[in-house]
Amino acid sequence: MKGEGKMMIKSKMKWVGLVGLVLSAFSLFVHFLLARFTEEGIADYQSSVTIFSWRPVFENPDLSKNSPSHKRLWGQVRRLESLHPDANPRGYYTDPRSESSGYVFVRIQGGFHEIRNSICDVVVISRLLNATLVIPEIQSTTRSKGISSQFKSFAYLYNEDNFMAALVKDVKVVKTLPQNLKDARKLKNIPSFRVPNSASPYFYLHHVLPVLNKHGVVELVVSDGGCLQAVLPPHLDEYQRLRCRVAFHALRFRQEVQELATKMLHRLRAHGQPFIAFDPGLTRDALAYYGCAELFQDVHNELIQHKRAWMKKRGFVKGKLSVNSAEQRLNGSCPLMPEEVGILLRAYGYSWDTILYVSGGEVFGGQRTLTPLHAMFENIVDRTSLSAAWELNRIYGREVNLVDTKLRAPPSAVKEKNPEVWKNAGPRPRPLPPPPARPKYPYNIEGWWGWVAESDNEPESTVMELRTNAHKLLWEAIDYLICVEADVFIPGFDRDGKGRPNIASLVMGHRLYQSAASKTFQPNRKEVVRLLEENREHLYQANHTWLTSIRSHLRRSLIDGVIRASRKSKPSSFLSHPIPECSCLRFDLTKRSPHSTGAPMEASLGITHHCPKWMDSEIKTKLKDKESEEDPDEDISSSSGLFFRNSGGNHESGGGELIKEESQLDDQEELDGAD
């Protein structure tokens, strides 16, 4: 019996082991199956998995949207509510003629904002010349850079089919040249123009058109972020509206990029909270161009100064090599640092738990620069927080594996001694030879400490760096979409490394066109720096007077920034300020409120065109509702010593205590002032 019992136990153990093996095999199968689904991007599986590391913490998630505080922080700018997008032709405008003058082939070089400006320009030029436009080639996205062959050139960033369909009534667009012209281009037998920045229509009508008529094709090389002047004569306003149709309707990003940006927006809004988008504008080129090296220290200072020397040597920068960064900052020529932007937002009344999206393909200085901002806002996110690595890899496509060159063992610095040579080297005594030069080991010269000290020129980009530059276009496309849709947008800087409007300016122009009343702060950097310097010793324990000054300035910047952009940004980039050409008025502001004084906002911007009647529905009803709104005053206990305080008592990020303001800040008064 005992033997039979032992056999039974052994038999059960065998069955248990067998079941364990089967379960293990099944779990491995499920694991590989899910891994396969992850690679292929099965939508149902993706939507059920939490893939981002952001864990938001909110103090008061149920803030009433009808409260004065919410309206002041997140509400629309009433003085701009009557502006609406209207890029349709307004006069006589024919379809493109069947008799084309020839083909215009374009090669575009530059960053995201330069590519976007240039594409809009070449469409207008093709319409002006009555030419057939070949879809432009974006040279940052060629296969030789090591990126995926799935998406080549224009299709790497934008949707070709939508581009062609949206412009069917404006210009003829084809994907490629005819075969005979394609062969001629390979042999470099077609005329080519390296067009200057902001060339006039006269240049194309009197220099390019005759060549186009003669040869049937011309090649344009655009490298400075635009090939047509931003402000065209009044009789060419229809071409300005064509620019708007291209930028805001025809130029849609390819499906994979659009879908990922939409997912990230859903994840941002999943908690039902509005969010702020912040574009720092801290690029090395911009800092070098404006001489802002001394805003940083050590390594970063050296890198910026080296870049400025490189730009000065090639004529991109005029002036002294060494610039007083403090003076540049006081003049408003340097970017606002993330810490300063954080102080402005907290002073305006945004709480520590506000969601803040930081955009930008490059934030010079890295996390060390963003640390003070993170101390003021708990819920800081970027594209890496809202997406997984495999989601980003999907939009890159299938890329070849680039094997980095491994570091070789350093050569021996001590040469072998040859006694025979020493004996036969001549009479003694003789002087010692000079010491050998310091050997340049690969691990000594691969970083900034090598090429900054060894050469005045920038090192040639590796294949990996070129691939990363191409990926930056996709990163900035995602950032662009999120910033345009943000509830509030604030830029740290609005200029690039050539002194022209950057991607933040394009975002502000797109928001002005699409939803002019959305809150877009455009602070005057010179005024902001003056206010910050006035209270430099007490920035984190600011008094009521200083807080009022900051709030008043930011409130004014909602309107003054738009007017300032019409003078400063528009002459360089039409897309940064596409009004009045691409906007219309839905009703007369002078009849809007009996308390309105002075000329309406639209008059100062030159907007006189009224929207079509079909857009005027429900305006009177909404107007009566707004005029009858009476919001009670509310005590806001924000912004005195608040900058490092999470008001949960046990949840602190900086250790500061909240000191309530000595007196109330009247929200209703601020709302009226902003309007």
Side-chain angles (χ1 to χ4, degrees), residues 281 298 379 383 391 483 514 548 624 629 674:
D298 305 329
N379 296 318
R383 66 177 177 279
E391 287 185 310
C483 289
Q514 177 176 293
T548 303
K624 290 180 180 179
E629 287 179 356

Side-chain angles (χ1 to χ4, degrees), residues 411-413 434-446 449-455:
S412 175
R438 178 176 63 85
K440 298 179 181 178
Y441 300 143
Y443 56 81
N444 280 341
I445 63 175
E446 72 172 46
W449 53 87
W451 55 262
V452 166
E454 299 291 343
S455 173

Side-chain angles (χ1 to χ4, degrees), residues 43-209:
D44 294 339
Y45 174 68
Q46 291 174 7
S47 63
S48 64
V49 178
T50 303
I51 47 79
F52 52 94
S53 59
W54 174 45
R55 295 294 180 268
V57 180
F58 298 108
E59 178 183 27
N60 186 17
D62 298 323
L63 182 64
S64 174
K65 294 184 178 180
N66 294 324
S67 66
S69 178
H70 189 279
K71 290 180 180 178
R72 180 174 62 83
L73 296 176
W74 306 104
Q76 293 193 330
V77 183
R78 293 183 184 175
R79 290 182 61 185
L80 297 176
E81 283 184 336
S82 63
L83 271 65
H84 290 267
D86 182 19
N88 294 321
R90 298 176 186 173
Y92 178 72
Y93 191 83
T94 61
D95 291 343
R97 286 178 286 175
S98 57
E99 304 85 6
S100 172
S101 302
Y103 293 91
V104 174
F105 181 83
V106 187
R107 289 188 289 130
I108 299 175
Q109 304 165 349
F112 176 88
H113 63 285
E114 294 172 319
I115 292 170
R116 197 169 181 87
N117 277 323
S118 300
I119 292 173
C120 297
D121 287 353
V122 298
V123 171
V124 172
I125 291 167
S126 299
R127 172 78 186 192
L128 186 67
L129 302 180
N130 187 37
T132 299
L133 174 66
V134 181
I135 286 186
E137 178 182 288
I138 301 174
Q139 293 196 315
S140 302
T141 64
T142 56
R143 188 176 181 181
S144 61
K145 301 295 189 296
I147 67 171
S148 173
S149 58
Q150 279 183 270
F151 313 105
K152 294 181 180 179
S153 191
F154 188 90
Y156 184 77
L157 191 59
Y158 293 109
N159 187 322
E160 288 184 343
D161 295 332
N162 183 80
F163 182 76
M164 297 175 67
L167 297 177
V168 68
K169 294 186 177 181
D170 296 295
V171 292
K172 288 184 178 179
V173 184
V174 295
K175 289 191 176 182
T176 59
L177 287 167
Q179 189 60 44
N180 61 326
L181 295 178
K182 193 182 297 185
D183 296 337
R185 178 178 174 264
K186 290 180 180 178
L187 298 174
K188 298 183 179 180
N189 289 335
I190 65 174
S192 179
F193 291 86
R194 182 171 286 276
V195 293
N197 180 266
S198 300
S200 67
Y202 179 90
F203 170 81
Y204 293 99
L205 292 173
H206 293 80
H207 293 84
V208 178
L209 184 57

Side-chain angles (χ1 to χ4, degrees), residues 42 84 167 292 355 359 370 432 436 479 486-487 531 568 589 617:
I42 302 301
H84 290 267
L167 297 177
C292 303
I355 301 174
S359 74
L370 295 173
L432 294 175
D479 289 340
D487 299 278
L531 290 170
K568 293 187 176 181
L589 273 183
S617 60

Side-chain angles (χ1 to χ4, degrees), residues 533-552:
E533 290 301 319
E534 283 181 0
N535 201 39
R536 175 59 59 184
E537 301 299 326
H538 306 285
L539 285 177
Y540 296 102
Q541 292 81 31
N543 58 40
H544 173 71
T545 303
W546 187 81
L547 290 172
T548 303
S549 300
I550 289 292
R551 291 189 176 188
S552 176

